[in-house]
Amino acid sequence: MGKHRTAQQDAIFIAFMERHPMIAKNYLKGDKLAAEAAWKRLSKELNSVGPPVKEVCEWKRVWKDWKSCIRKKINNNRLEDSNACGKGSLYQDTLPALEDAVAVICDLYDKPDRVVESRPKARPEISNRLQLQDIKTDHDEVTATDDDDEEEDD
């Protein structure tokens, strides 16, 4: 697989998204034509310093994938923090400056962590030891009702 973008294209992406945070977060209400025109300008600027050279939809995918990768790192760090005992985890992902900038622009640090929140809470232990006399069977119920019927007939 080829390279997705260069360092210069990363810098262009960051500068553009800082100027257009609603596009960066994909909060496009109403003026989608203006947003599409902005993406076309960005694509032209990114392609001017390429390769790689991509279509608008491909650059959108690169941005979406980049954010997704950063979001996963942040969520992993939160999960590791919640599982850590003592000094913290050795498995934390450090975000380089560019990825940190993307996280700040897109408010990824402020998003709730779905992974940690959806993790089931610890349940109290339930004893699996059952006594045979505690288990009621269909036969026990039938016998009891049959005995009752016989007494009524007397």
Side-chain angles (χ1 to χ4, degrees), residues 1-6 9-10 13 51-54 59 62 65:
M1 181 184 271
K3 200 163 181 204
H4 296 287
R5 60 194 188 275
T6 63
Q9 288 170 327
D10 285 348
F13 250 130
V53 175
K54 302 176 184 274
W59 283 119
V62 168
D65 290 348

Side-chain angles (χ1 to χ4, degrees), residues 2 109 113 150:
Y109 290 120
D113 183 12
E150 288 177 14

Side-chain angles (χ1 to χ4, degrees), residues 34-107:
E36 199 58 38
W39 270 106
K40 285 180 184 176
R41 288 192 310 272
L42 174 62
S43 296
K44 187 176 179 181
E45 190 175 351
L46 291 168
N47 288 335
S48 70
V49 296
V53 175
K54 302 176 184 274
E55 298 292 322
V56 174
C57 62
E58 294 171 310
W59 283 119
K60 285 181 180 181
R61 171 54 68 182
V62 168
W63 179 249
K64 183 178 179 181
D65 290 348
W66 196 11
K67 287 192 313 184
S68 177
C69 179
I70 295 166
R71 186 178 295 114
K72 284 178 186 176
K73 286 181 180 181
I74 292 169
N75 287 341
N76 179 54
N77 288 348
R78 287 182 183 151
L79 184 61
E80 289 298 324
D81 277 345
S82 69
N83 289 337
C85 296
K87 294 184 179 179
S89 174
L90 300 173
Y91 302 106
Q92 295 239 333
D93 292 314
T94 55
L95 294 180
L98 282 175
E99 290 182 353
D100 182 59
V102 171
V104 169
I105 292 166
C106 297
D107 297 328

Side-chain angles (χ1 to χ4, degrees), residues 20 23 50 56 61 63 76 81 92 111 136-137 141 149:
H20 301 92
I23 292 173
V56 174
R61 171 54 68 182
W63 179 249
N76 179 54
D81 277 345
Q92 295 239 333
K111 303 272 184 194
K136 212 173 206 184
T137 64
E141 290 177 18
D149 290 342

